[in-house]
Amino acid sequence: MSREREPTGDELLAMAYADGELAGDARLAFEARLAREPDLRREVAELQGLAVLARQLAPAEPAELEWQSLAAGWQQRAGTQVGLGLALAGALLLAAGLLGWILWSTLPVALKAGAAAIGLGLAVLLLVALRARRRLAPLDPYTKVKR
Amino acid sequence: MILATTEAVHGYEVAETLGLVCGSAVRACHVGVDVESAMQNLVGGELVHYTKLLAEAREQALDRVIAEGRARGANAIVALRFTTSEIASGAAEILAYGTAVKLRGIS
């Protein structure tokens, strides 16, 4: 959706709908179109998202800005993805190992490997959380609040 | 910024209603505090770390309501309320909300 040109008739209708300004038959007709037209649904969803942002007028807190910079860094994203990936792969291996144990009463390698992968994944996620905490803690004034 | 749980503030009248403002905070202690508090829970008395945790979340949620009110140009938030929810076990979760208004002194 570009706002560098005049809005089309559908965009104006979507704006009116998102602002709750369509009433009666016009609203019912627009809702019927929404049910049929995915592009119109996306347009309305985007406008509703802008309305939610506009309601949150307060400036971003220092910790929020730091969090955004942290979340944009490759280390944080890679750490989270690797941690979650390992934990998920471990859970699948564990399930396969448990199935093997139930069916053949053996303790297959999958069971041990699955448990190890889950442990490693959780350890990576803990490191990611510790790194974020270390970066954000100096910007958290509420730790000084007295009971 | 005047904060009031009432809808009217003595000596003022509402010149303009600016709408709903809200702020929320979810905070947790580290696992060491949780273990220590679990032991304290066995013997009774105040769980001081959790009292502090709740106060931290309350102040943070309140500051966010005030920041939202300021951004809207309010000089007061009336009908202020606090509520709580349950998202994460062992975390303090507070939502504060109220109505941002411009108050004018009654002469």
Side-chain angles (χ1 to χ4, degrees):
Chain A
M1 184 177 64
S2 166
R3 288 283 171 257
E4 290 172 7
R5 54 173 172 74
E6 286 298 307
T8 64
D10 273 358
E11 283 171 353
L12 286 173
L13 267 178
M15 284 179 207
Y17 180 77
D19 291 340
E21 290 166 359
L22 278 189
D25 288 346
R27 183 178 185 86
L28 290 175
F30 189 80
E31 282 173 348
R33 281 190 62 199
L34 274 185
R36 295 191 305 266
E37 300 177 34
D39 285 348
L40 207 54
R41 283 201 293 274
R42 273 192 289 275
E43 176 78 20
V44 169
E46 194 175 336
L47 288 166
Q48 285 171 336
L50 288 175
V52 170
L53 280 180
R55 278 209 305 275
Q56 295 181 309
L57 292 170
E61 300 164 11
E64 177 64 26
L65 296 172
E66 184 69 12
W67 172 250
Q68 283 170 6
S69 130
L70 190 69
W74 69 269
Q75 299 98 324
Q76 203 72 9
R77 280 184 290 128
T80 306
Q81 283 167 7
V82 167
L84 285 175
L86 275 170
L88 183 63
L92 291 173
L93 274 171
L94 203 63
L98 276 174
L99 195 64
W101 184 61
I102 290 166
L103 293 178
W104 301 291
S105 299
T106 57
L107 197 63
V109 180
L111 211 59
K112 291 178 189 170
I118 289 176
L120 194 61
L122 293 180
V124 171
L125 288 175
L126 179 63
L127 285 176
V128 168
L130 279 173
R131 180 173 177 268
R133 177 73 183 143
R134 198 172 64 85
R135 283 269 297 271
L136 295 173
L139 300 172
D140 183 359
Y142 300 97
T143 53
K144 295 178 182 67
V145 170
K146 290 190 169 59
R147 69 191 169 95
Chain B
M1 178 73 73
I2 298 172
L3 302 175
T5 55
T6 51
E7 287 175 21
V9 179
H10 183 67
Y12 294 89
E13 62 180 3
V14 174
E16 194 178 347
T17 301
L18 300 163
L20 174 77
V21 281
C22 52
S24 53
V26 181
R27 297 182 67 91
C29 292
H30 61 74
V31 69
V33 165
D34 284 334
V35 172
E36 189 187 332
S37 297
M39 296 302 115
Q40 182 71 49
N41 201 9
L42 294 176
V43 296
E46 184 183 9
L47 304 182
V48 289
H49 292 299
Y50 285 163
T51 308
K52 183 178 179 312
L53 179 69
L54 197 59
E56 288 173 11
R58 183 196 65 218
E59 293 303 314
Q60 190 165 21
L62 202 51
D63 277 353
R64 286 176 173 162
V65 170
I66 293 169
E68 193 78 32
R70 280 205 187 104
R72 284 179 186 239
N75 62 1
I77 295 166
V78 295
L80 184 64
R81 300 283 182 272
F82 287 99
T83 186
T84 186
S85 64
E86 173 88 39
I87 300 170
S89 160
E93 301 153 7
I94 301 277
L95 168 67
Y97 61 96
T99 304
V101 293
K102 275 187 184 168
L103 291 181
R104 181 172 52 207
I106 300 170
S107 49

